[in-house]
Amino acid sequence: MTASTAEFVARFGRTRPDARAKSRPPEHAVPFTLIAVVTAYGLLFLPTGTRLDYTVVSAAAVLSAALLGLTLFWPVVPRLATLGIPLGYIALAALLREAAGGSTSGFGGLFLLPVLWLALTAGTRELAAILVAMGAAQAIPLAFIGAPAYPASGWRGAFVLTTIATVTGLMVQRLSQQSRRRTALLQEQTDSLTRASAQLAAQNERLLELDRLKDEFVATASHELRTPLTSLSGYLEMSLDPAEGPLSPTRESHLRIVQRNADRLAVLVDQLLFLARADSHPIELDRQAVDLAEILDEAAETASPAAGAKNISLVIAGEPPQGVLADRPQLLRVVDNLVANAIKFTPDGGSVRLASRRAGDSAVIEVTDTGLGIPRAEQQELFNRFFRGTSAVEKAIPGSGLGLAISQVIAEAHGGTIQLESTPGAGSTFRVALPLA
């Protein structure tokens, strides 16, 4: 009986609102009733030598069936069941005690069942009513039946049992209420976190949608800009063609300025289109065997005019030619970007060194300059799109802040990496590592 009661207390310690308890039976109400009735009858028929009053036993059996039925039909009559079941337990305990011989039968402990039941499933008023009913159920036989089945000493036992039941019921009810409050608070916090998580998910979806729209806008705008730019460049080229007739020096100078800015705008549009496409789907690479020495030579040749204008020496150094499987135009684009940046940020009379070497299973391209260098605080941001370092801003060095972002995308698409090592005032080294062929 004790183990069953403990199991009941443990299971019913869970929180359930009062309204829910009144609308349907508590969890495991039917198993508890069955365990209580079967255990009580098992104790009743133990071979103790006591002669049973089978008339009372039969009445107790009818009451047990009624209790089980009331438990099963709890949703139909919830108000009746809330107090009816514990009152039925009290009546059942009284009948079984009477059938087994009175106060000495040992069935007085069954009066704790309704107390535990209501301590967990109802409020303080219902518990108080059951405690009064339990006291009455013990006092009535003592007062009206008396000895020998209910001797006068039974008053002491009834008082002790009622006191224990009161203290136990109040403690269990307090613990149950605390558990309900904690669980309600935890549920409230969980619901709040769930709502916050849902809001964050919705905001994240919105941000992703805005990012997608941004990329789509950039791609569309860049595409729409490319057509008039192509036309503009074509007409500028024709206007500057000597076959179209002579131009005054001033007009030719103006057209040359327009042509340079149109070229810069065309490069910017091309960069924006490249990044927009890279965001929407992986870069398609036409991999083939590429000799890095040839790449360095071509990049140096392309950058020679800009380097010569600033009296910057271009030095090519390297180990025996390294071969990689790469998309040659894209790889050349990376090296061109790095060399162009090195020349832009190197003062007149400096030097830029291009080199290739082998490092384990990778081929490494290095572009080293003797330029301004990059502050450590800005090095982590350098590969972000549109980022412009303080040196570039202060010295009004032209650029879009997209070249390094594009270089990183291309390097990673090849399964490689791009890294920076820089000391302010002493220059920078960019390293592109690619898997060997």
Side-chain angles (χ1 to χ4, degrees), residues 47 123 170 208 221:
L170 291 175
L208 289 174

Side-chain angles (χ1 to χ4, degrees), residues 179-221:
S179 176
R180 289 190 181 100
R181 284 195 294 269
R182 290 195 197 99
T183 307
L185 179 61
L186 180 60
Q187 184 63 43
E188 182 180 348
Q189 293 174 344
T190 302
D191 292 341
S192 178
L193 288 174
T194 301
R195 289 192 297 270
S197 177
Q199 291 175 355
L200 286 175
Q203 291 175 358
N204 188 49
E205 288 292 331
R206 178 59 179 163
L207 288 174
L208 289 174
E209 176 65 15
L210 290 174
D211 190 57
R212 185 190 66 79
L213 292 174
K214 180 263 296 178
D215 292 338
E216 184 176 322
F217 168 77
V218 169
T220 303

Side-chain angles (χ1 to χ4, degrees), residues 7-16 25-29 32 117 120-121 176 180:
E7 179 185 0
F8 172 77
V9 172
R11 291 182 181 276
F12 273 81
R14 302 173 186 169
T15 299
R16 61 177 53 79
E27 189 180 359
H28 304 295
F32 174 75
W117 180 281
L120 292 164
T121 61
S176 179
R180 289 190 181 100

Side-chain angles (χ1 to χ4, degrees), residues 122-341:
T124 305
R125 293 181 180 178
E126 290 86 352
L127 180 61
I130 287 303
L131 288 170
V132 171
M134 188 192 77
Q138 295 183 91
I140 289 173
L142 287 168
F144 293 98
I145 299 177
Y150 299 94
S153 60
W155 288 100
R156 185 180 296 108
F159 175 77
V160 170
L161 182 59
T162 302
T163 302
I164 292 174
T166 302
V167 173
T168 302
L170 291 175
M171 288 180 63
V172 170
Q173 190 174 67
R174 180 180 178 183
L175 291 173
S176 179
Q177 290 172 349
Q178 289 177 349
S179 176
R180 289 190 181 100
R181 284 195 294 269
R182 290 195 197 99
T183 307
L185 179 61
L186 180 60
Q187 184 63 43
E188 182 180 348
Q189 293 174 344
T190 302
D191 292 341
S192 178
L193 288 174
T194 301
R195 289 192 297 270
S197 177
Q199 291 175 355
L200 286 175
Q203 291 175 358
N204 188 49
E205 288 292 331
R206 178 59 179 163
L207 288 174
L208 289 174
E209 176 65 15
L210 290 174
D211 190 57
R212 185 190 66 79
L213 292 174
K214 180 263 296 178
D215 292 338
E216 184 176 322
F217 168 77
V218 169
T220 303
S222 300
H223 180 75
E224 293 300 322
L225 284 171
R226 174 174 281 183
T227 301
L229 272 175
T230 302
S231 177
L232 178 62
S233 298
Y235 278 104
L236 280 171
E237 187 176 349
M238 287 189 295
S239 297
L240 291 169
D241 189 348
E244 294 294 324
L247 294 172
S248 66
T250 302
R251 184 171 297 178
E252 182 176 355
S253 174
H254 291 169
L255 289 176
R256 294 290 181 190
I257 294 172
V258 173
Q259 188 179 46
R260 285 197 300 270
N261 283 282
D263 291 341
R264 288 177 57 187
L265 188 56
V267 171
L268 177 59
V269 169
D270 183 65
Q271 290 176 332
L272 290 172
L273 272 175
F274 178 89
L275 289 173
R277 289 167 182 164
D279 286 338
S280 60
H281 54 76
I283 301 175
E284 295 181 3
L285 300 176
D286 180 16
R287 295 178 183 268
Q288 54 184 322
V290 176
D291 186 352
L292 295 185
E294 294 179 0
I295 293 289
L296 297 184
D297 288 339
E298 189 171 340
E301 183 180 352
T302 303
S304 291
K310 298 179 66 176
N311 196 26
I312 294 174
S313 62
L314 285 175
V315 180
I316 301 177
E319 298 175 356
Q322 306 295 328
V324 295
L325 284 177
D327 187 312
R328 195 178 191 283
Q330 297 290 8
L331 183 57
L332 182 59
R333 184 175 193 172
V334 172
V335 180
D336 282 340
N337 282 339
L338 296 180
V339 175
N341 279 346

